[in-house]
Amino acid sequence: MNQNGASKQGSAKPAAKQGWRQSPAARWLLMVLFVLLFYFSLAPHVIPETYDISEGSISEKDIKAPFQIRDEKATRQAEEKAASQVEDIYNIVFLKNDALVEQILYRIEQLNMDDQVTKEDKIEIYRTEIPRRYVDYIDQFVKANKGDGTYNDTLLDEMASVAKEQQYTIPEETFYKMPQLTTEQLQEMRQVAREIVRKLTTEQLREADTARTQVAELVNASSISNRTAREIVQELARFAIMPNKFLDQEATEEARVLAKQNTTPVVFNEGDVIVKRGETITPDLYKLLSDSNLLQDKKHYWPQAGLLILSLMFVVVLYAYLQQSGGIGGHKPKYGNAQLLMLWLIFFINIIIIQITALTQTDTAQYAGYLVPAALGTMLITLLLDLHLAIISSFIFSIMGSVILNTASNQLFDFKFGFFIIVVSLASVFSIHRASQRSTILKAGIMVSLFGSLSVIAVLMLTEQLERMPFIYSVAFAFASGLLTAVLVIGLMPFFEVTFGILSALKLVELSNPNHPLLRKLLTETPGTYHHSVMVGNLSEAAAEAIGADGLLCRVGSFYHDIGKTKRPNYFIENQSNVENPHDTIDPKLSKSIIVAHASDGVEMLKAHNIPKQIRDIAEQHHGTTSLKYFYHKALKQAEEQGVEPAFTEDDFRYPGPKAQSKEAAVVGIADCVEAAVRSLRNPTVEQVEAMIHKIIKSRLDDNQYNECDLTLKELDKVAQSLKESVIGIFHSRIEYPDDVKTKERTN
């Protein structure tokens, strides 16, 4: 990463002589300038105009809504009207009335068979017990169903009340006839009565008498021939029939509440006239204007306070990032006040350009806003300062642009322009962060044009704004925006030449933080693997830089390449401290499955934590399709001892791959194997180290592990030389590798 002039000077002379460049007071003054820049840039667009009027006065001009304003009084009236139009809701309660008539007839049968009870006593029992059974049946039904969720309690109470009110009164003479019934008659009556009651209560009944009038006809059409039996069945069926449709007060109230909630609020949209010129300010109008902060005498400062908070939040985000990344503060800050001033100037220029673009918009040509070269700021920040700072800034530009360019929306932010700005800003960041010549800026501008056009097309299609000419103009302006951005960046770069510097992909620095959850997991759960990964990072970074590859990517990729081992840490030798090796007691094929799984397990864990694809690729590809020869020969030996022909080949003991697709993945794979191999040597010498490195590289080369990446033989020699120089000081204990083909493949 390029260091600015202030940083270089900071290493050459004491802080006391650095003047304003490292002065905390100057730094805080710059933070205040950022707040003022954000506040006054957005103020004309978010703070509404206020009016000096009083209740009962005459308005001298039309008062329009600066944003969508809700008329609370009219909305409440609309809600009450909607609720009043909701009709009462009736629900069905299935009482299973045929069970009641079954109980009564069964009771009659049992009592009539009892010779110890006189006829008079039976009549008296029927006269008192049968009406009580009706009430008891309802009470038991309510008790059984309350709280189970089938019916709400209010509905059950309503059912009990209405059903009891409509209880049928059995004629007195019917009770005198009941003792005459025989068992055969009662059995016939039971079947008929149940069918009649079941049939009549399947319909919705709010009044039981409606169904009771049909009982006589159905009884006469039944198979009962005895007159007395028919009369009793008729009365008992009428008695058992109850209403089954009841007012559900709770559901009705819920429907009315829902109707209120679904009522469309009465609003004044942006630009609608609230008060016409010459209109008297009524109490209701005055309250509406007051609640909307449109009156001067009320001294409402909420919009100003909200804008100030938003501006402070922008500055806090920028300051927090700069401090956490070491950009400011500390003993050796990355950026001095000169760089903060440059950042302020970039923001100022970008916001001014957005403001100028907003002036070209009209109600009929809002698409002119897509011409804004909003990616200018993020390109300059990426080239001159920091990639991550540019990403953060792109979100701030997006929010501010969605406010400044908002002309027709009834909301504070216009998502169309906000989305467009964030897309072109991010496209510029990722297109320009490796720029090494000015032509790359033009290429980045073309990428901004393409992504900006695609974002506009997507938004217009999603919102179905497909009128031909506005659609063409919107896409054309978005495309022109990228080219204009590139021209402005090329033109402004000489102005910032004294602090110009191209940075590497610093996102990798963030991922290399030991406090990352995955790295902390690696350290706490598999300390041996963690130490191994750190050493591999040191080796691979130096080797990658020797051949012009991305050394930082190799280092960070090494940190994560064995993260999959955290799923089964004890199966990897570097994590086995004073414990037996579990591989000594399990089948070699199972050992192989456990070992090779760590690559795919690691990829899944990295995906779950949104680790970039380049690092996931290293974790997946660092073993390629190499063979676990140790377990292969162990399996061969077992088959030989058992006297059976091996049902497997060496290919069954290989990693699934894929092979290394990039130089970085190949270098990490070599460094991984070298680190493990060298630490297995008891008393390594320079000759042993050199021989081991060449042996590993040659083995992988002969195994065609580098066929899918662009490593050359010359580069492999440079890698070998770099690794030899880096590993001389490594003397950690490892399992000794057998010679030749019985070399045990390290489980890393």
Side-chain angles (χ1 to χ4, degrees):
M1 183 184 67
N2 184 61
Q3 295 294 330
N4 53 69
S7 296
K8 291 180 179 179
Q9 292 175 8
S11 61
K13 53 185 178 180
K17 297 182 179 181
Q18 292 173 358
W20 73 276
R21 290 179 178 272
Q22 298 296 335
S23 168
R27 182 164 65 246
W28 286 111
L29 177 61
L30 286 169
M31 294 297 107
V32 172
L33 289 177
F34 270 107
V35 174
L36 295 177
L37 174 63
F38 295 143
Y39 183 90
F40 287 106
S41 297
L42 296 176
H45 305 277
V46 300
I47 299 179
E49 181 182 1
T50 56
Y51 302 89
D52 184 14
I53 57 177
S54 59
E55 186 176 331
S57 63
I58 305 298
S59 177
E60 298 179 354
K61 59 181 179 179
D62 288 344
I63 299 178
K64 297 182 178 180
F67 45 80
Q68 188 182 79
I69 296 175
R70 175 167 171 156
D71 190 334
E72 295 293 345
K73 181 178 180 181
T75 299
R76 285 196 299 272
Q77 292 174 346
E79 290 175 348
E80 293 300 329
K81 182 178 180 180
S84 65
Q85 293 175 345
V86 175
E87 297 181 354
D88 290 339
I89 295 176
Y90 288 83
N91 281 326
I92 305 297
V93 177
F94 297 100
L95 292 164
K96 299 181 181 179
N97 309 69
D98 56 325
L100 175 60
V101 74
E102 168 74 18
Q103 294 175 9
I104 295 172
L105 287 170
Y106 181 76
R107 174 59 175 156
I108 294 173
E109 181 180 355
Q110 295 298 315
L111 194 58
N112 284 355
M113 292 173 60
D114 192 346
D115 296 337
Q116 301 300 317
V117 183
T118 65
K119 179 179 180 181
E120 290 72 18
D121 290 341
K122 292 178 181 179
I123 294 172
E124 184 59 28
I125 291 173
Y126 295 144
R127 181 185 294 115
T128 58
E129 185 177 318
I130 292 178
R132 190 175 65 249
R133 280 182 175 273
Y134 183 96
V135 176
D136 291 344
Y137 185 83
I138 294 173
D139 291 341
Q140 291 173 5
F141 183 89
V142 171
K143 183 178 180 181
N145 286 275
K146 268 196 174 182
D148 68 352
T150 305
Y151 307 104
N152 63 68
D153 293 351
T154 305
L155 177 60
L156 289 173
D157 292 340
E158 176 71 10
M159 178 276 296
S161 176
V162 173
K164 291 176 181 178
E165 289 177 1
Q166 297 188 27
Q167 181 176 354
Y168 179 75
T169 303
I170 299 176
E172 184 70 18
E173 61 269 17
T174 302
F175 298 120
Y176 286 88
K177 298 176 182 179
M178 289 180 180
Q180 304 173 16
L181 298 172
T182 66
T183 300
E184 291 77 14
Q185 289 174 334
L186 286 168
Q187 289 178 353
E188 184 181 13
M189 291 166 60
R190 185 181 296 120
Q191 182 65 29
V192 172
R194 291 190 63 174
E195 290 179 359
I196 291 174
V197 172
R198 188 183 297 117
K199 179 177 181 180
L200 293 178
T201 54
T202 54
E203 300 177 358
Q204 299 181 11
L205 300 175
R206 290 180 58 185
E207 298 292 336
D209 288 341
T210 303
R212 289 168 181 165
T213 58
Q214 305 176 44
V215 171
E217 180 181 353
L218 294 175
V219 170
N220 291 331
S222 70
S223 59
I224 300 176
S225 57
N226 183 275
R227 179 178 178 181
T228 300
R230 286 202 304 272
E231 292 176 357
I232 295 174
V233 165
Q234 180 174 302
E235 296 303 328
L236 291 180
R238 289 173 178 168
F239 177 77
I241 293 175
M242 306 176 190
N244 59 16
K245 187 176 182 181
F246 308 95
L247 173 64
D248 192 336
Q249 191 64 40
E250 183 174 327
T252 302
E253 290 301 322
E254 289 178 356
R256 287 171 180 165
V257 170
L258 185 61
K260 288 182 179 181
Q261 294 175 348
N262 292 335
T263 301
T264 302
V266 179
V267 299
F268 293 97
N269 290 319
E270 180 184 1
D272 290 349
V273 176
I274 303 176
V275 181
K276 295 182 180 179
R277 181 179 180 181
E279 185 177 354
T280 301
I281 305 300
T282 64
D284 289 339
L285 282 176
Y286 187 84
K287 185 176 186 306
L288 178 63
L289 294 173
S290 177
D291 293 342
S292 304
N293 299 323
L294 297 179
L295 299 180
Q296 291 181 0
D297 58 347
K298 290 297 181 181
K299 303 299 181 184
H300 291 297
Y301 296 114
W302 296 119
Q304 293 91 332
L307 179 57
L308 179 60
I309 292 173
L310 181 63
S311 301
L312 287 170
M313 289 174 63
F314 287 157
V315 175
V316 166
V317 169
L318 289 173
Y319 186 86
Y321 169 75
L322 290 171
Q323 188 177 53
Q324 290 296 324
S325 64
I328 57 177
H331 298 293
K332 294 182 179 181
K334 186 190 304 182
Y335 306 126
N337 291 333
Q339 285 67 46
L340 292 181
L341 177 60
M342 181 177 64
L343 180 64
W344 187 90
L345 287 173
I346 293 173
F347 267 85
F348 177 79
I349 293 171
N350 208 54
I351 291 172
I352 288 296
I353 289 176
I354 296 176
Q355 297 276 16
I356 293 173
T357 306
L359 296 177
T360 66
Q361 291 178 293
T362 64
D363 291 338
T364 58
Q366 298 177 23
Y367 46 76
Y370 291 120
L371 188 60
V372 61
L376 167 68
T378 51
M379 275 197 181
L380 290 174
I381 294 172
T382 304
L383 290 170
L384 300 171
L385 293 169
D386 184 279
L387 179 142
H388 293 100
L389 181 60
I391 295 176
I392 293 173
S393 301
S394 65
F395 284 97
I396 297 176
F397 290 138
S398 173
I399 295 172
M400 297 189 69
S402 67
V403 174
I404 296 172
L405 297 173
N406 177 25
T407 59
S409 175
N410 57 5
Q411 298 179 349
L412 178 61
F413 304 97
D414 190 331
F415 84 96
K416 298 190 299 296
F417 293 110
F419 178 71
F420 169 74
I421 292 175
I422 194 64
V423 168
V424 297
S425 296
L426 293 178
S428 70
V429 169
F430 294 114
S431 300
I432 202 69
H433 77 283
R434 284 188 173 277
S436 58
Q437 50 188 358
R438 295 186 185 274
S439 62
T440 308
I441 299 176
L442 182 58
K443 294 177 183 178
I446 295 174
M447 293 300 296
V448 170
S449 296
L450 292 175
F451 278 95
S453 300
L454 288 174
S455 69
V456 171
I457 291 172
V459 169
L460 294 179
M461 287 182 173
L462 287 170
T463 55
E464 297 187 0
Q465 299 177 14
L466 302 175
E467 295 182 30
R468 182 178 179 183
M469 293 312 298
F471 185 91
I472 294 175
Y473 281 130
S474 297
V475 176
F477 284 174
F479 190 88
S481 168
L483 301 179
L484 181 60
T485 298
V487 171
L488 290 174
V489 170
I490 293 173
L492 287 170
M493 281 299 295
F495 176 74
F496 298 105
E497 198 66 34
V498 292
T499 54
F500 177 82
I502 298 176
L503 306 177
S504 62
L506 294 183
K507 187 173 184 180
L508 294 171
V509 176
E510 177 185 345
L511 293 173
S512 66
N513 190 331
N515 288 323
H516 189 282
L518 283 179
L519 294 183
R520 286 189 357 204
K521 178 181 178 69
L522 191 68
L523 174 60
T524 57
E525 298 181 11
T526 57
T529 299
Y530 178 84
H531 182 266
H532 160 73
S533 298
V534 171
M535 298 306 298
V536 172
N538 294 333
L539 297 177
S540 62
E541 182 177 33
E545 291 178 351
I547 61 173
D550 192 336
L552 186 55
L553 175 59
C554 286
R555 170 180 285 274
V556 179
S558 298
F559 291 168
Y560 292 91
H561 80 291
D562 274 345
I563 192 67
K565 291 184 178 180
T566 58
K567 287 200 171 183
R568 304 174 187 86
N570 292 333
Y571 285 87
F572 299 90
I573 192 67
E574 66 268 24
N575 301 312
Q576 297 169 3
S577 178
N578 300 321
V579 295
E580 293 183 0
N581 189 338
H583 293 290
D584 294 338
T585 58
I586 63 176
D587 186 80
K589 292 183 180 178
L590 178 58
S591 295
K592 168 260 179 183
S593 299
I594 293 173
I595 298 303
V596 301
H598 84 272
S600 58
D601 289 341
V603 172
E604 293 302 319
M605 294 175 67
L606 295 174
K607 282 184 179 179
H609 284 76
N610 298 317
I611 302 300
K613 185 176 184 300
Q614 296 92 325
I615 296 178
R616 300 202 309 266
D617 287 345
I618 289 175
E620 186 178 31
Q621 300 167 14
H622 73 281
H623 280 298
T625 59
T626 56
S627 172
L628 281 79
K629 295 182 179 180
Y630 176 84
F631 294 111
Y632 169 63
H633 287 287
K634 182 178 178 182
L636 284 177
K637 183 177 180 181
Q638 287 185 359
E640 181 180 349
E641 292 174 351
Q642 296 170 3
V644 296
E645 188 70 21
F648 52 85
T649 65
E650 185 176 358
D651 289 340
D652 295 324
F653 285 80
R654 287 183 177 273
Y655 281 90
K659 297 178 181 179
Q661 305 293 305
S662 64
K663 291 182 179 180
E664 288 79 7
V667 168
V668 171
I670 297 172
D672 177 54
C673 193
V674 166
E675 195 278 339
V678 171
R679 283 205 287 148
S680 72
L681 298 176
R682 297 184 183 277
N683 297 298
T685 64
V686 174
E687 292 76 17
Q688 287 178 314
V689 169
E690 185 174 14
M692 181 65 76
I693 293 173
H694 283 289
K695 182 178 180 181
I696 290 171
I697 293 177
K698 185 177 185 303
S699 175
R700 293 200 169 200
L701 190 61
D702 293 341
D703 201 23
N704 299 319
Q705 293 300 314
Y706 307 129
N707 287 2
E708 298 179 15
C709 65
D710 54 356
L711 268 177
T712 65
L713 292 175
K714 184 176 181 180
E715 288 174 335
L716 285 173
D717 287 337
K718 291 182 179 180
V719 168
Q721 180 63 26
S722 174
L723 291 174
K724 185 190 75 172
E725 295 171 355
S726 300
V727 303
I728 298 302
I730 299 178
F731 297 98
H732 296 285
S733 187
R734 285 275 188 163
I735 295 177
E736 187 173 358
Y737 277 47
D739 294 330
D740 303 322
V741 297
K742 291 188 178 181
T743 299
K744 177 180 178 180
E745 184 74 6
R746 297 304 308 152
T747 58
N748 44 0

